[in-house]
Amino acid sequence: MDIVAEIVRSLEEDIARLAPGDRIPSEHDLMTRFGATRASVRRAIEVLESRFLVRRSQGAGTFVNRRIDLVLAPDRAPSLHEAVAASGSVARTFVIGTERRAAPEDIAARLGAAAGAELTRLTRLGYIDDDPATCGEEWLAPGALDVADLHLKTVESLTEVLRASGADPVRARSRVSTAFAPPEVAERFTARDPVPVWHIETLTTDGRGGRPLMFSRAWTRQDRVRVVVEYEPVP
Amino acid sequence: MDIVAEIVRSLEEDIARLAPGDRIPSEHDLMTRFGATRASVRRAIEVLESRFLVRRSQGAGTFVNRRIDLVLAPDRAPSLHEAVAASGSVARTFVIGTERRAAPEDIAARLGAAAGAELTRLTRLGYIDDDPATCGEEWLAPGALDVADLHLKTVESLTEVLRASGADPVRARSRVSTAFAPPEVAERFTARDPVPVWHIETLTTDGRGGRPLMFSRAWTRQDRVRVVVEYEPVP
DNA sequence: GAGCATTTGTCCGTATGTATT
DNA sequence: CAATACATACGGACAAATGCT
């Protein structure tokens, strides 16, 4: 009984012996192997997918998933690029938009701007192994950066740009939780179903004086990245 | 087209107008309402369930889910009991086991004990509105507490007990991530499918001297609790 | 570029089991 | 005990994306 659970168990063992990127047998093959319906086989694979163990691609097959560990700690720079590189994958980030726009009230407040103030907003999209994995926006405090400096292609260097402009950017406070990608983000991920994501917000201030410089808000796919947060109480 | 997505959208609107605990129409009613098969209706409800919007109970029906927000911050005591009470629900915690047992190597190390040392381990199970929602264990450092003090029924008072024994318990470091409940935990939750959970580890030390007192490891159901972690860099 | 086989995505219809009320 | 409602499984059909020829 419970043929789905049996298929799940069996496939789990198989996956443990495979490497990320390896293909698992087609649904048709699994039907004959387990003597089950396609519906049952699919249920089992859906369970594995919801555990982030496999990813499916229509027309291509089902493959063992690779997941990056990202540790966020007070004493460590939270570099997804480094974490990705360390695990042998390739990370790329593109700025897909820069604009001046009236900032939402909460963000304006954090950046010390008046409600409704027009601020510079960068939109970026990050890829891991050529798949979109993270998506987010950065809001710059008034006067933090000259707009002329923003013809950059990678956002990893944004703190570098801030530093070059005479500031001493340090992260002031971060907020991490999980959510489901809002429609405009899910669209970037070319997914329709609810995509479980990490929601990470960070306020960057000037180490000399504490003036707010930048507010960052990002959504990162949970099936591509596992975030671990370590924190200590401030005495 | 995409009848499942249509049902999801429609039910989302309905749910937004309902209160936690309210019942949504039966699958049979939804079949006639949308002119779809039960399979499609179930798919839609499964999507809502995976977003933690509803919970299903065989024989009873499908109900709008209630989720507690728990904010973990360096300057705040992470009290799930308080968060639950503040949202109008009832939290109860029971100690379901106390024993002396050889501690896992990593835990012994954190508590300053020799590898393989026998330590006191408490197992507890937490309920929200009479449903199991959190499950975990506490390991006590050697000499931190007299075993005779452990005939307590609620673990919320554990720091109180430590304090009464002359210590000044403070959280030293916490580690938060998401996972899927291991079998023995899922069993406590009376669930077979993979239950998405928060995995929270905390080391408690003595404020006077920094001696480790207790290591806590807990699994909390994501469909019952939403955790938000706020942290600041230590300069 | 066109055509084709493979593979996953979606939906329909039906039957039976099991927990709740 | 009976009715209700969710859980699980079977079987078939067509659509859509992929990868290869």
Side-chain angles (χ1 to χ4, degrees):
Chain A
M1 326 295 102
D2 213 343
I3 191 150
V4 172
E6 187 192 324
I7 300 174
V8 167
R9 271 199 308 276
S10 181
L11 289 181
E12 261 183 318
E13 291 176 11
D14 294 357
I15 291 170
R17 279 192 291 270
L18 296 173
D22 283 356
R23 187 168 167 282
I24 72 172
S26 73
E27 295 172 0
H28 182 266
D29 288 353
L30 294 174
M31 282 172 64
T32 63
R33 169 168 154 193
F34 292 103
T37 331
R38 220 187 120 207
S40 299
V41 169
R42 281 185 61 78
R43 293 283 312 179
I45 299 178
E46 277 161 21
V47 169
L48 297 172
E49 193 184 25
S50 75
R51 286 196 219 176
F52 311 131
L53 291 176
V54 300
R55 36 188 310 198
R56 298 193 276 183
S57 171
Q58 183 175 161
T62 302
F63 304 88
V64 178
N65 186 35
R66 159 174 281 134
R67 226 171 153 212
I68 310 288
D69 262 359
L70 175 63
V71 179
L72 301 183
D75 50 1
R76 216 183 298 195
S79 167
L80 180 57
H81 267 78
E82 281 174 28
V84 171
S87 77
S89 289
V90 179
R92 264 186 282 269
T93 305
F94 300 98
V95 175
I96 57 178
T98 65
E99 54 174 348
R100 301 275 301 173
R101 178 196 272 216
E105 201 172 329
D106 57 324
I107 292 180
R110 286 188 232 220
L111 291 175
E118 282 223 333
L119 298 179
T120 301
R121 174 183 184 248
L122 280 142
T123 319
R124 61 176 173 73
L125 186 57
Y127 293 80
I128 297 177
D129 291 336
D130 297 320
D131 300 310
T134 180
C135 175
E137 57 185 6
E138 266 92 27
W139 292 86
L140 296 175
L145 257 191
D146 193 340
V147 189
D149 294 332
L150 291 180
H151 45 76
L152 33 88
K153 284 287 171 296
T154 59
V155 106
E156 337 148 44
S157 54
L158 196 49
T159 52
E160 291 302 325
V161 179
L162 284 165
R163 192 169 288 121
S165 77
D168 174 29
V170 295
R171 287 171 300 124
R173 190 167 188 109
S174 297
R175 189 184 168 92
V176 182
S177 191
T178 58
F180 299 93
E184 68 272 19
V185 174
E187 195 182 343
R188 298 284 181 196
F189 293 155
T190 59
R192 289 174 311 291
D193 269 3
V195 186
V197 291
W198 300 98
H199 187 204
I200 305 179
E201 295 180 344
T202 305
L203 181 67
T204 303
T205 60
D206 192 337
R208 297 184 292 271
R211 187 172 59 104
L213 292 175
M214 176 175 74
F215 179 78
S216 165
R217 166 182 292 167
W219 289 269
T220 303
R221 292 182 67 129
Q222 284 195 51
D223 56 351
R224 300 278 178 276
V225 178
R226 173 170 172 256
V227 173
V228 180
V229 189
E230 291 182 2
Y231 70 98
E232 290 176 7
V234 274
Chain B
M1 329 288 101
D2 214 343
I3 190 143
V4 172
E6 187 191 323
I7 301 176
V8 167
R9 272 199 307 277
S10 180
L11 289 181
E12 261 183 318
E13 292 176 11
D14 294 356
I15 290 170
R17 279 192 292 270
L18 296 173
D22 283 355
R23 188 168 166 281
I24 71 171
S26 72
E27 294 173 359
H28 181 266
D29 289 352
L30 294 174
M31 282 172 65
T32 63
R33 169 170 155 193
F34 292 102
T37 333
R38 237 195 98 201
S40 300
V41 169
R42 280 184 63 76
R43 294 284 311 179
I45 299 179
E46 276 161 21
V47 170
L48 297 173
E49 192 184 24
S50 75
R51 287 195 216 174
F52 311 132
L53 291 177
V54 299
R55 33 186 315 196
R56 296 194 276 183
S57 172
Q58 184 176 162
T62 302
F63 303 87
V64 177
N65 187 35
R66 179 194 300 272
R67 228 173 151 211
I68 310 289
D69 263 1
L70 175 62
V71 179
L72 300 183
D75 50 2
R76 215 183 301 195
S79 167
L80 179 57
H81 267 78
E82 279 173 29
V84 171
S87 78
S89 288
V90 179
R92 265 187 281 269
T93 306
F94 299 97
V95 175
I96 56 179
T98 64
E99 53 174 348
R100 301 276 300 173
R101 178 197 271 215
E105 201 172 330
D106 56 324
I107 292 180
R110 286 189 232 221
L111 291 175
E118 282 223 333
L119 298 179
T120 301
R121 173 185 186 245
L122 278 140
T123 320
R124 59 176 174 73
L125 186 57
Y127 292 81
I128 297 177
D129 292 335
D130 298 320
D131 300 311
T134 181
C135 174
E137 57 186 6
E138 267 91 27
W139 293 85
L140 296 175
L145 258 192
D146 193 338
V147 189
D149 294 331
L150 291 180
H151 45 75
L152 34 89
K153 286 285 171 294
T154 58
V155 107
E156 335 147 45
S157 54
L158 196 50
T159 51
E160 290 303 323
V161 178
L162 284 166
R163 192 168 289 120
S165 77
D168 174 28
V170 294
R171 287 171 301 125
R173 191 168 187 109
S174 297
R175 189 183 168 93
V176 183
S177 190
T178 58
F180 298 93
E184 67 273 18
V185 174
E187 195 183 342
R188 297 285 181 194
F189 292 155
T190 59
R192 289 174 312 289
D193 270 2
V195 186
V197 290
W198 299 98
H199 188 203
I200 306 178
E201 294 180 345
T202 305
L203 182 66
T204 302
T205 60
D206 193 336
R208 298 184 290 271
R211 186 172 60 104
L213 291 175
M214 176 174 75
F215 179 77
S216 165
R217 166 183 292 166
W219 289 270
T220 302
R221 293 182 68 131
Q222 284 195 50
D223 57 352
R224 301 278 179 274
V225 178
R226 174 172 171 253
V227 173
V228 180
V229 189
E230 290 182 2
Y231 71 98
E232 288 175 9
V234 274

